[in-house]
């Protein structure tokens, strides 16, 4: 194997597991509309073990949505899917950081009929205890989470660390969103890089960085195959990344190779990830289209302590065999082609990172 640069996706963190801070959080009840299925990672299973709520989103045999998502007519009696708050699993490194990030995304992206618009979104953020001025600034940064619509529901697919240090964190909130405008329902979604700082009372959100996949482009055979493969579950932003034509062939080929033996639930590909490896000035492989993260393998969340370490280990080694020079996860493996081919740290406690040189 050719010599590859000895860089790491993230630096190890000494942050340990902390108890979940249970603060008062406002949650918006949601009203009428309907949803259509898209090829997304399905947030199914028990929230206490998977860290994601049970909802109606499921992979579709018909393939991925269009670049702007899917639209369907809302027939009589049709309803938007229920707003089910995401909950962390039992083995999170810093559950309070994830909860703070997710609750804000849920509040900004979910509203009942007639409660849309930036002023009401800012009010929902302020109801979580965020100072009014910051709530307004965060609403302005929410972008695709707050489209013009009569009603909306965000369903969090996964919340994973983009980076975690002693006093700051990045939580990547991967979500689908159904919106209703008049009689039409649109299924879309995004991934938001939520930045947080630790305060004397817990974790507080400081800024939002939604995914910006770019417009669709003419695609090669590998990209079309990934989008059509039912064993590769893609959330909306990741599917849009691939449709943009900005994902390297090495990533696409590895996804297809891994899907031969595993059902692969992708969380992040290119957009919605920090530009630099968190806490450093080194560019991350993700924004360059040279990496992808997997949060669930064969239906088993990486963060779940009940998920077999053997399954995760085998998957990480298969990723290396598929050409990755930089495989990170919750298990520190040995025997790589280079000294740094495998790594493990607190950031990668909840997913497997698979990076490429090009």
């Amino acid at each position: 194997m050719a010599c590859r640069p000895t860089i790491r996706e993230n630096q190890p963190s000494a942050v340990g597991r902390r108890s979940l801070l249970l603060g008062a959080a406002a949650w918006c009840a949601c009203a009428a509309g309907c949803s259509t299925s898209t090829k997304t990672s399905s947030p199914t299973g028990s929230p206490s073990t998977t860290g994601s709520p049970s909802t109606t989103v499921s992979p579709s045999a018909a393939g991925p949505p269009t670049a702007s998502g899917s639209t369907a007519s809302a027939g009589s009696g049709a309803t938007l899917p229920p707003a089910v708050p995401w909950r962390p699993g039992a083995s999170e490194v810093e559950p309070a950081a994830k909860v703070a990030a997710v609750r804000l995304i849920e509040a900004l992206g979910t509203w009942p009929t007639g409660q849309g618009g930036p002023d009401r979104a800012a009010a929902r953020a302020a109801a979580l205890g965020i100072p009014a001025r910051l709530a307004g600034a965060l609403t302005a940064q929410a972008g695709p989470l707050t489209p013009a619509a009569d009603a909306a529901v965000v369903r969090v697919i996964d919340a994973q660390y983009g980076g975690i240090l002693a006093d700051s964190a990045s939580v990547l909130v991967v979500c689908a969103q159904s919106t209703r405008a008049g009689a039409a329902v649109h299924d879309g979604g995004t991934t938001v890089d939520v930045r947080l700082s630790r305060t004397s009372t817990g974790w507080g959100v400081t800024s939002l960085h939604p995914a910006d996949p770019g417009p669709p482009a003419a695609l090669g055979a590998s990209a079309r195959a990934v989008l059509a493969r039912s064993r590769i579950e893609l959330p909306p932003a990741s599917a849009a990344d691939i449709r943009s034509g900005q994902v390297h062939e090495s990533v696409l080929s590895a996804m297809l190779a891994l899907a031969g033996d595993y059902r692969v639930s992708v969380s992040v590909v290119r957009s919605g990830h920090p530009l630099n490896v968190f806490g450093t000035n080194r560019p991350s492989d993700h924004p360059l289209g040279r990496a992808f993260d997997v949060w669930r393998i064969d239906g088993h969340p990486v963060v779940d302590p009940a998920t077999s370490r053997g399954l995760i280990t085998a998957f990480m080694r298969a990723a290396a065999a598929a050409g990755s020079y930089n495989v990170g996860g919750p298990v520190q493996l040995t025997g790589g082609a280079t000294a740094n081919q495998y790594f493990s740290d607190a950031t990668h406690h909840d997913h497997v990172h698979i990076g490429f040189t090009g």
Side-chain angles (χ1 to χ4, degrees):
M1 181 177 294
C3 181
R4 295 182 167 112
T6 56
I7 66 172
R8 299 173 67 84
E9 167 62 16
N10 211 326
Q11 295 174 328
S13 169
V15 177
R17 188 176 306 157
R18 301 175 189 274
S19 60
L20 174 62
L21 303 179
L22 298 176
W27 177 246
C28 305
C30 188
C34 75
S35 76
T36 58
S37 61
T38 65
K39 185 190 177 188
T40 64
S41 298
S42 174
T44 57
S46 169
S48 64
T49 59
T50 68
S52 300
S54 177
T55 75
T56 60
V57 182
S58 61
S60 170
T66 63
S68 59
S70 59
T71 302
S73 174
S76 62
T79 59
L80 285 171
V84 181
W86 178 93
R87 294 195 295 272
S91 185
E92 294 286 356
V93 170
E94 196 68 65
K98 286 192 176 182
V99 169
V102 167
R103 290 294 172 263
L104 177 59
I105 298 306
E106 290 172 334
L108 290 174
T110 300
W111 61 89
T113 301
Q115 296 298 309
D119 290 343
R120 289 192 170 97
R124 293 192 298 273
L128 298 174
I130 297 172
R133 180 173 294 182
L134 177 58
L138 294 172
T139 299
Q141 296 168 7
L145 277 176
T146 55
D150 297 328
V153 174
V154 154
R155 294 149 287 159
V156 173
I157 295 168
D158 183 44
Q160 79 167 48
Y161 301 114
I164 186 163
L165 303 174
D167 296 315
S168 62
S170 160
V171 174
L172 311 183
V173 182
V174 183
C175 56
Q177 185 183 45
S178 294
T179 57
R180 182 177 58 79
V185 168
H186 171 84
D187 273 356
T190 190
T191 295
V192 184
D193 174 9
V194 181
R195 299 299 177 92
L196 307 98
S197 292
R198 192 192 296 275
T199 70
S200 59
T201 58
W203 287 94
V205 176
T206 58
S207 63
L208 303 178
H209 305 271
D212 183 14
L219 300 180
S222 295
R224 295 195 302 271
V226 167
L227 291 168
R229 191 73 186 271
S230 63
R231 287 170 64 84
I232 303 172
E233 297 178 349
L234 297 168
S238 295
D241 284 337
I242 292 171
R243 289 194 296 271
S244 76
Q246 298 182 69
V247 177
H248 278 243
E249 179 68 25
S250 55
V251 168
L252 303 171
S253 296
M255 285 184 179
L256 292 169
L258 290 167
D261 295 316
Y262 302 94
R263 181 156 51 93
V264 180
S265 298
V266 174
S267 49
V268 177
V269 179
R270 190 184 65 84
S271 61
H273 189 280
L275 296 179
N276 291 333
V277 176
F278 192 74
T280 80
N281 59 5
R282 292 183 286 109
S284 167
D285 284 328
H286 283 277
L288 301 173
R290 300 194 313 228
F292 66 103
D293 291 342
V294 172
W295 73 278
R296 191 169 60 177
I297 306 163
D298 286 342
H300 302 287
V302 172
V303 74
D304 189 348
T307 296
S308 164
R309 298 297 94 173
L311 173 65
I312 295 172
T313 296
F315 182 80
M316 291 174 67
R317 293 198 183 280
S324 174
Y325 81 101
N326 196 218
V327 182
V331 182
Q332 179 61 63
L333 302 184
T334 59
T338 66
N340 295 302
Q341 186 168 22
Y342 298 114
F343 69 96
S344 180
D345 56 27
T347 295
H348 296 83
H349 176 77
D350 60 5
H351 67 280
V352 175
H353 166 83
I354 304 167
F356 298 85
T357 57

